[in-house]
């Protein structure tokens, strides 16, 4: 199964669960995305309640590995009855206010999938920091990749 | 060029006394207007040590439009019209000449400057004017004189008495964010607000007395309004999600802003008299970065409703929305020019972000900058100059360009990363 097919299936799954308009909109631009999809730097192992999900440039749809990471996060959040805060972040490219909006879309994408996997909405808060809080400085692809993220933190 | 440390005048929250952003022209126009400011004659008991003619010359030169003659190059130093020989100035290719004298006003410390502007080519007096100030506020007095000279020659308001607000953050250990305001020549730089959490999107009120901005001090984005001269601060009613991108209406009664309480970022209008929000756009994509048209009837904004960020314009009275940009896949954060005929925005081409200008009538797009990661353009209140944020060797810096693209400059600073410049409106009347 090609990566593109995987994407469509995952997007379809998410949409069917959440009826999420944002995700379906992403499908329209997916053809453009797919060539770039491959990186899967996930910093936290699935057994933890906290984790970081990475995104493609200018996108807020979830990659296949992000979906499985979030599913694992959901299970540990439920079993530990944790309350979490999801922070959405972007790389420095593009405008700051647009990135603030993009960061929120990323945080919401993670939040929605956590809820689909049984985490109660009352135990999730989201905030977007846009490009204001990079983990690493540097105007290059390696920094940008690390900065395009949603971070799930236990409150 | 040496800048004297100047006493802070207006801003009570100030703590740094050094001059910060200095304008350095990197590319000037080929045929600047040549002007000679003859040293002002001081008829005062204790003349101040600063030289008015130096401040005026440096003002006029600051955006590359003028080249001013140093007194050393002058063939004569006339004190009055009677001592003026146009021949001396024509030999030096001078286009305009300023003569002036300063005397004690009625109140102690008050200075009255009488000055005359001459058109050398036409051998004609253009304007006589009187400006009053104090020796303590000598820079401010000089800027007013520069504004009047500029206005008389170019028919546009001078911008030498304006200010700029910006965000300053050092990418070092302390991670502190500063909202700062400085005179446009870099003097009187002062901290308006500081926080360990991000500060964003400063926007001057149309009366030049307040700044609206976004602060994350409560752990989420929230819009604050702060009076610059008193420090008085209030927050707007907090809504769920994003509260950001404040932009004052020309009347200062409303702020356009972005809220995502409806699950998607949309443009709202905050009524400062009623303390209430009204929704203006409603779309499941991202709507953000509103800017009010100079006549207050329209709002220009960024939306990704077509799949990529593009510029749209809404007529407020009927809610009609029209797409304005069609070139490229990233057009964002538009700001109207003061005449309302064009907008300046961020345009991506070949993966690089540039500042561009587009006419609303002809839709012709022109890229102005050749730097790579440009954003946050702000336009001088006379419409002639743009300052924007960019990167130089991975550091956030401010740079500028004239709207005709002919003059380029940078604003070097010693205080770490600087970004999100916002140009004040005209703060003093230049007509008299």
């Amino acid at each position: 199964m090609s990566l593109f097919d995987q994407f469509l299936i995952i997007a379809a799954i998410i949409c069917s669960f959440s009826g999420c308009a944002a995700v379906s909109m992403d499908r329209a631009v997916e053809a453009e995305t797919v060539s770039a999809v491959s990186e899967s730097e996930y910093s936290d192992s699935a057994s933890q309640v906290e984790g970081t999900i990475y995104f493609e440039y200018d996108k807020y749809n979830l990659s296949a590995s992000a979906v499985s990471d979030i599913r694992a996060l959901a299970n540990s959040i439920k079993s530990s009855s944790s309350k979490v805060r999801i922070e959405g972040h972007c790389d420095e490219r593009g405008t700051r206010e647009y990135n603030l909006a993009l960061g929120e879309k990323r945080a919401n994408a993670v939040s929605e999938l956590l809820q689909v996997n049984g985490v109660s909405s009352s135990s999730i808060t989201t905030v977007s920091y846009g490009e204001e809080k990079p983990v690493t400085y540097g105007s290059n692809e390696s920094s940008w990749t690390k900065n395009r993220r949603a971070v799930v933190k236990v409150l | 060029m040496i800048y004297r440390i100047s006493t802070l005048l207006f801003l009570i929250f100030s703590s740094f006394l050094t001059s910060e952003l200095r304008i350095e022209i990197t590319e000037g126009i080929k045929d600047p207007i040549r002007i000679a400011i003859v040293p002002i004659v001081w008829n005062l008991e204790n003349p101040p040590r600063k030289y008015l003619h130096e401040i005026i010359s440096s003002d006029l030169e600051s955006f590359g439009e003028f080249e001013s003659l140093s007194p050393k190059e002058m063939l004569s130093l006339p004190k009055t019209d009677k001592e003026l020989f146009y021949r001396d100035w024509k030999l030096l290719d001078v286009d305009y000449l300023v003569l002036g004298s300063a005397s004690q006003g009625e109140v102690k410390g008050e200075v009255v400057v009488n000055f005359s502007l001459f058109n050398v080519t036409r051998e004609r007096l253009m304007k006589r004017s009187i400006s009053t100030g104090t020796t303590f506020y000598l820079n401010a007095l000089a800027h007013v004189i520069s504004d009047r000279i500029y206005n008389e020659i170019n028919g546009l308001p001078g911008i030498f008495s304006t200010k700029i607000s910006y965000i300053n953050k050092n990418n070092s250990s302390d991670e502190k964010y500063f909202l700062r305001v400085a005179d446009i020549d870099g003097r009187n730089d002062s901290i308006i607000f500081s926080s360990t959490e991000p500060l964003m999107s400063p926007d001057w009120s149309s009366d030049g007395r307040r700044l609206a901005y976004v602060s994350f001090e409560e752990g989420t984005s929230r819009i604050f309004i702060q009076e610059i001269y008193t420090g008085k601060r209030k927050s707007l009613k907090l809504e769920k999600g994003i509260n950001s991108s404040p932009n004052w209406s020309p009347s200062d009664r409303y702020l356009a802003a972005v809220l995502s309480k409806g699950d998607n970022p949309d443009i709202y209008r905050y009524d400062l008299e009623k303390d209430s929000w009204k929704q203006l756009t409603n779309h499941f994509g991202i709507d953000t970065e509103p800017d009010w048209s100079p006549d207050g009837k329209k709002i220009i904004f960024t939306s990704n409703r077509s799949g990529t960020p593009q510029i749209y314009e809404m007529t407020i009275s009927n809610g009609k929305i029209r797409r304005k940009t069609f070139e490229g896949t990233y057009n964002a954060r538009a700001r109207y020019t003061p005449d309302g005929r064009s907008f300046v925005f961020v345009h991506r081409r070949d993966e690089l972000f540039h500042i561009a200008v587009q006419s609303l009538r002809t839709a012709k797009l022109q890229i102005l900058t050749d730097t790579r990661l440009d954003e946050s353009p702000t336009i001088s209140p006379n419409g002639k100059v743009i300052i924007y944020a960019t990167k130089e060797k991975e550091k956030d810096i401010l740079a500028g360009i004239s709207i005709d693209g002919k003059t380029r400059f940078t604003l070097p600073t010693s205080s770490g990363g600087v970004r999100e410049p916002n140009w004040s409106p005209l703060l003093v009347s230049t007509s008299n």
Side-chain angles (χ1 to χ4, degrees):
Chain A
M1 186 162 59
S2 79
L3 211 45
F4 183 69
D5 291 335
Q6 284 182 28
F7 248 87
L8 291 183
I9 290 166
I10 290 156
I13 291 167
I14 296 167
C15 277
S16 64
F17 275 117
S18 62
C20 161
V23 175
S24 65
M25 206 178 88
D26 265 339
R27 293 176 63 190
V29 288
E30 214 142 74
E32 191 187 312
T33 322
V34 166
S35 59
V37 171
S38 68
E39 289 153 66
S40 51
E41 287 184 29
Y42 296 103
S43 60
D44 295 278
S45 75
S47 63
Q48 289 174 326
V49 182
E50 301 196 324
T52 304
I53 309 298
Y54 294 92
F55 291 84
E56 290 309 310
Y57 172 53
D58 204 15
K59 296 289 181 286
Y60 42 89
N61 50 323
L62 299 163
S63 68
S65 54
V67 171
S68 74
D69 280 16
I70 293 165
R71 206 168 283 149
L73 278 172
N75 289 333
S76 31
I77 291 166
K78 279 184 290 182
S79 59
S80 62
S81 314
S82 307
K83 282 193 185 297
V84 295
R85 170 177 153 107
I86 306 166
E87 297 176 357
H89 299 271
C90 302
D91 72 35
E92 65 177 359
R93 290 173 293 171
T95 63
R96 289 180 178 275
E97 283 288 354
Y98 187 79
N99 282 339
L100 192 65
L102 188 60
E104 181 175 76
K105 292 280 190 187
R106 287 176 179 168
N108 286 348
V110 175
S111 169
E112 278 159 16
L113 194 57
L114 285 177
Q115 289 174 54
V116 165
N117 285 283
V119 178
S120 145
S121 65
S122 63
S123 47
I124 303 173
T125 54
T126 58
V127 64
S128 173
Y129 285 110
E131 61 176 282
E132 308 302 314
K133 286 194 162 185
V135 280
T136 173
Y137 296 98
S139 299
N140 50 60
E141 190 53 53
S142 123
S143 298
W144 293 335
T145 304
K146 294 186 186 95
N147 287 332
R148 292 190 300 263
R149 69 208 193 274
V151 183
V152 180
K153 291 182 175 171
V154 174
L155 285 178
Chain B
M1 203 183 298
I2 297 163
Y3 277 88
R4 289 159 209 271
I5 291 173
S6 43
T7 318
L8 274 174
L9 311 176
F10 310 111
L11 303 159
I12 58 166
F13 282 88
S14 41
S15 60
F16 285 11
L17 298 173
T18 51
S19 50
E20 294 284 345
L21 307 160
R22 286 169 297 117
I23 296 168
E24 278 181 12
I25 304 282
T26 52
E27 190 182 321
I29 53 174
K30 288 182 184 68
D31 51 345
I33 299 167
R34 279 173 65 84
I35 191 162
I37 317 290
V38 178
I40 305 286
V41 180
W42 288 98
N43 301 315
L44 291 178
E45 278 174 29
N46 299 307
R49 270 171 297 165
K50 279 188 218 165
Y51 297 113
L52 270 179
H53 67 273
E54 284 179 2
I55 307 170
I56 297 166
S57 295
S58 129
D59 277 352
L60 292 169
E61 283 191 333
S62 54
F63 299 105
E65 263 179 284
F66 287 85
E67 182 180 27
S68 69
L69 212 67
S70 132
K72 280 182 214 152
E73 301 169 74
M74 296 175 186
L75 301 174
S76 57
L77 297 174
K79 292 191 174 72
T80 64
D81 303 22
K82 284 175 196 154
E83 297 172 19
L84 163 62
F85 296 101
Y86 287 107
R87 185 194 58 230
D88 289 354
W89 305 97
K90 283 186 176 172
L91 278 170
L92 296 167
D93 283 328
V94 167
D95 302 307
Y96 298 95
L97 174 73
V98 175
L99 300 182
S101 64
S103 55
Q104 181 78 53
E106 287 171 18
V107 189
K108 191 170 179 285
E110 193 182 55
V111 188
V112 180
V113 177
N114 279 275
F115 66 94
S116 309
L117 171 66
F118 300 90
N119 182 323
V120 173
T121 321
R122 291 183 175 179
E123 301 194 7
R124 197 165 60 82
L125 171 74
M126 290 177 76
K127 187 180 182 70
R128 272 191 217 286
S129 186
I130 300 175
S131 286
T132 307
T134 68
T135 49
F136 190 64
Y137 297 103
L138 205 65
N139 284 328
L141 175 58
H143 296 328
V144 170
I145 296 171
S146 306
D147 285 339
R148 288 185 178 168
I149 292 168
Y150 185 96
N151 189 12
E152 195 61 32
I153 294 172
N154 280 344
L156 285 170
I159 49 179
F160 309 109
S161 305
T162 58
K163 292 173 185 287
I164 190 162
S165 69
Y166 63 100
I167 304 291
N168 163 220
K169 179 173 176 279
N170 299 321
N171 293 345
S172 60
S173 50
D174 69 347
E175 294 283 313
K176 236 179 162 185
Y177 300 77
F178 299 97
L179 169 61
R180 288 168 174 265
V181 166
D183 291 355
I184 200 65
D185 67 357
R187 291 180 170 93
N188 297 324
D189 193 302
S190 46
I191 296 167
I192 298 297
F193 190 72
S194 69
S195 173
T196 52
E197 292 298 317
L199 299 174
M200 284 178 77
S201 308
D203 189 60
W204 289 88
S205 62
S206 307
D207 68 7
R209 306 190 69 82
R210 288 164 287 173
L211 281 173
Y213 58 93
V214 175
S215 171
F216 282 77
E217 67 202 66
E218 297 170 356
T220 176
S221 54
R222 184 165 194 176
I223 298 169
F224 289 81
I225 293 173
Q226 189 165 328
E227 289 183 13
I228 294 161
Y229 302 102
T230 65
K232 223 172 100 189
R233 193 166 181 258
K234 72 172 243 179
S235 53
L236 302 198
K237 194 167 158 248
L238 185 69
E239 301 288 348
K240 179 183 153 281
I242 290 173
N243 292 246
S244 72
S245 218
N247 183 268
W248 294 87
S249 72
S251 69
D252 281 343
R253 174 171 174 178
Y254 304 107
L255 282 167
V258 172
L259 300 178
S260 61
K261 63 175 178 177
D263 285 339
N264 283 291
D266 283 311
I267 312 291
Y268 287 72
R269 185 179 79 179
Y270 192 79
D271 187 330
L272 287 156
E273 286 176 16
K274 295 180 182 161
D275 277 320
S276 64
W277 292 104
K278 183 184 180 223
Q279 187 164 2
L280 296 182
T281 70
N282 187 359
H283 192 275
F284 61 82
I286 293 169
D287 289 349
T288 186
E289 301 171 340
D291 184 46
W292 230 291
S293 66
D295 65 7
K297 292 178 179 163
K298 291 178 176 176
I299 283 175
I300 203 163
F301 64 99
T302 309
S303 176
N304 73 344
R305 57 186 64 197
S306 69
T308 60
Q310 298 291 342
I311 306 297
Y312 293 77
E313 190 181 50
M314 178 176 62
T315 305
I316 299 169
S317 59
N318 59 16
K320 227 175 229 171
I321 293 170
R322 280 226 167 87
R323 182 170 165 179
K324 291 293 163 186
T325 50
F326 295 91
E327 243 176 90
T329 53
Y330 199 110
N331 294 299
R333 202 186 169 283
R335 289 293 178 266
Y336 285 102
T337 53
D339 62 11
R341 289 185 199 153
S342 312
F343 59 93
V344 171
F345 60 109
V346 175
H347 172 74
R348 184 176 67 193
R349 181 165 294 181
D350 300 332
E351 295 305 308
L352 301 180
F353 294 84
H354 301 295
I355 305 302
V357 60
Q358 183 170 320
S359 156
L360 280 161
R361 194 175 55 83
T362 67
K364 190 175 159 260
L365 181 153
Q366 187 198 349
I367 295 178
L368 295 172
T369 59
D370 51 16
T371 28
R372 305 157 52 89
L373 283 165
D374 305 341
E375 57 178 319
S376 309
T378 182
I379 309 165
S380 66
N382 67 359
K384 291 282 277 187
V385 188
I386 298 162
I387 290 178
Y388 62 97
T390 187
K391 294 253 174 188
E392 192 179 73
K393 296 182 190 126
E394 310 223 327
K395 186 185 166 192
D396 287 327
I397 64 153
L398 302 185
I401 190 163
S402 58
I403 202 153
D404 61 14
K406 286 180 181 164
T407 306
R408 290 164 201 272
F409 58 94
T410 56
L411 294 101
T413 167
S414 53
S415 69
V418 288
R419 60 204 198 199
E420 296 200 81
N422 188 250
W423 211 314
S424 77
L426 295 173
L427 299 171
V428 291
S429 164
T430 49
S431 61
N432 62 325

